[in-house]
Amino acid sequence: FLDTQRGWATGMEATLLQTTDGGATWSKVQVDTPKGFALAIYDVAVDGNSNVGWAVGNNGFLLNSMDAGQSWQ
């Protein structure tokens, strides 16, 4: 969690979930992956001071956010 309200959860098949209400509800974040590429996202970290975030998965898969996790590329 970035603070008491904003956090992320990761999982199989490029699952990246986001909450903005302390975990009461979760929404799936759209993650672009190569067609037919099955991957797990293992961890996510967002720096609240710089708004930079990284998500890491298998096979060296990386996602980057420059807006505190609002979008991922």
Side-chain angles (χ1 to χ4, degrees), residues 7-73:
W8 296 266
T10 61
M12 301 301 292
E13 298 182 14
T15 299
L16 181 58
L17 304 174
Q18 177 178 354
T19 183
T20 57
D21 58 11
T25 61
W26 294 87
S27 59
K28 188 168 184 175
V29 177
Q30 179 63 37
V31 174
D32 293 326
T33 60
K35 186 175 178 157
F37 188 71
L39 66 99
I41 298 177
Y42 296 126
D43 201 5
V44 62
V46 176
D47 181 336
N49 294 321
S50 67
N51 292 328
V52 174
W54 292 97
V56 296
N58 63 331
N59 297 322
F61 189 76
L62 288 172
L63 292 170
N64 176 246
S65 175
M66 299 302 289
D67 57 8
Q70 296 301 307
S71 62
W72 296 88
Q73 300 158 27

